[in-house]
């Protein structure tokens, strides 16, 4: 099974090739260069692996939440490649992809509970809670966009693992408020297309694909920008 994966929802740009159980990946912190890098990287990965585009079985993408332009780019890339090759797409939550970054923190036997959090700007974070079982994140709640002070963990034991830039947002408000319930936090973690490819390959095996024209982005926020008046009001509440 062969698939390409694009993850451009954050300041990190990454592309990966899943090839019969193995993963090749390009990853770089490249704000505003995602469109420039993504397709050339995809071509490089295919060439290095000796795989022709027509041999791909599917295209995967991080469907968000994340930066509006980044999510839109991933959708455009996946749709363009998939339509050209007549293959399905596999949209995967960026927060679920990010949750796999907790595996090094949570090394050990048994399920681990993870809170993924991405800086959503405008004083908010994107969050979702997961339980990692057998290398896959299983959602414990719904994805949300909210102020760090409003974020909650599901009831239960402590010993959570936190991953993502949301823990550094708003001067680390989320980290400070919930730190007692976490065993470890990586506030620098960003989603990787290699992790996306692993989740997408499992989804493909379960038949969880969609037609390219049916991709649904996860923006979570109705407004992608604040008006000047809203920005002033937000700064006033924060001061």
């Amino acid at each position: 099974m062969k698939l390409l994966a694009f993850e451009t929802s954050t300041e990190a740009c990454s592309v990966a090739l899943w090839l019969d159980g193995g993963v090749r990946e390009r990853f770089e912190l490249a704000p505003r260069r995602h469109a420039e890098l993504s397709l050339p990287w995809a071509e490089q990965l295919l060439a290095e692996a000796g795989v022709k585009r027509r041999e791909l079985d599917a295209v995967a993408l991080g469907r968000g939440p994340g930066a509006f332009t980044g999510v839109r780019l991933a959708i455009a890339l996946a749709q363009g490649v998939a339509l050209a090759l007549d293959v399905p797409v596999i949209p995967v939550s960026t927060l679920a992809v990010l949750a796999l970054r907790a595996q090094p923190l949570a090394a050990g036997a048994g399920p681990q509970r993870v809170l993924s959090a991405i800086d959503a700007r405008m004083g908010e974070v994107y969050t979702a809670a997961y339980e990692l079982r057998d290398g896959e994140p299983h959602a414990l709640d719904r994805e949300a966009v909210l102020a760090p002070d409003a974020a909650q963990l599901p009831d239960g034991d402590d010993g959570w693992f936190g991953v993502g830039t949301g823990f550094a947002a708003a001067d680390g408000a989320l980290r400070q408020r919930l730190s007692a319930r976490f065993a470890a936090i990586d506030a620098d973690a960003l989603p990787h297309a290699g992790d996306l490819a692993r989740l997408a390959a499992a989804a493909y095996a379960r038949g969880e694909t969609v037609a390219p024209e049916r991709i649904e982005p996860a923006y979570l926020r109705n407004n992608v920008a604040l008006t000047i008046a809203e920005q002033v009001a937000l700064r006033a509440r924060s001061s």
Side-chain angles (χ1 to χ4, degrees), residues 183-207:
I185 294 172
D186 182 357
D188 296 319
L190 291 162
H192 282 239
D195 293 329
L196 167 60
R198 292 180 181 91
L199 295 181
Y204 183 88
R206 295 190 296 266

Side-chain angles (χ1 to χ4, degrees), residues 105 160-164 167 174-175 178-179 182-188:
L105 300 176
W160 283 76
F161 296 89
V163 287
F167 287 94
L174 178 60
R175 182 174 197 154
L178 297 175
S179 61
F182 284 87
I185 294 172
D186 182 357
D188 296 319

Side-chain angles (χ1 to χ4, degrees), residues 22 26 33 36 53 55 59 61 65 82 130 132 138 156 178-180 183 191 194 198 206 227 230 234:
R26 293 283 188 278
R33 295 186 63 213
E36 171 191 343
R53 279 174 285 180
E55 296 181 80
V59 182
L61 70 145
Y130 300 91
L132 292 182
H138 299 265
L178 297 175
S179 61
R198 292 180 181 91
R206 295 190 296 266
T227 66
E230 288 170 333
L234 178 61

Side-chain angles (χ1 to χ4, degrees), residues 21-211:
V23 176
R24 296 168 181 257
E25 182 188 63
R26 293 283 188 278
F27 176 92
E28 185 178 322
L29 288 176
R32 296 176 296 279
R33 295 186 63 213
H34 299 63
E36 171 191 343
L37 297 173
S38 297
L39 283 178
W41 280 357
E43 293 291 350
Q44 291 169 17
L45 289 169
L46 290 169
E48 290 170 4
V51 175
K52 294 180 172 58
R53 279 174 285 180
R54 64 175 179 272
E55 296 181 80
L56 292 172
D57 297 294
V59 182
L61 70 145
R63 60 159 176 78
F68 176 80
T69 54
V71 173
R72 289 302 308 171
L73 175 63
I75 291 173
L77 290 168
Q79 285 179 329
V81 175
L83 287 168
L85 300 177
D86 193 25
V87 296
V89 296
I90 307 167
V92 181
S93 164
T94 299
L95 290 167
V97 173
L98 179 60
L100 293 192
R101 292 285 99 190
Q103 290 182 116
L105 300 176
Q112 304 290 345
R113 294 191 297 172
V114 179
L115 183 69
S116 293
I118 295 173
D119 186 354
R121 313 302 179 187
M122 296 187 272
E124 295 180 317
V125 293
Y126 300 117
T127 67
Y130 300 91
E131 184 175 77
L132 292 182
R133 299 194 305 270
D134 301 321
E136 286 202 57
H138 299 265
L140 298 176
D141 61 7
R142 299 179 62 182
E143 298 172 335
V145 57
L146 36 69
D149 289 343
Q152 300 291 335
L153 290 173
D155 293 335
D157 297 333
D158 295 338
W160 283 76
F161 296 89
V163 287
T165 56
F167 287 94
D171 297 322
L174 178 60
R175 182 174 197 154
Q176 293 171 27
R177 191 168 64 83
L178 297 175
S179 61
R181 298 195 61 188
F182 284 87
I185 294 172
D186 182 357
D188 296 319
L190 291 162
H192 282 239
D195 293 329
L196 167 60
R198 292 180 181 91
L199 295 181
Y204 183 88
R206 295 190 296 266
E208 298 172 2
T209 64
V210 300

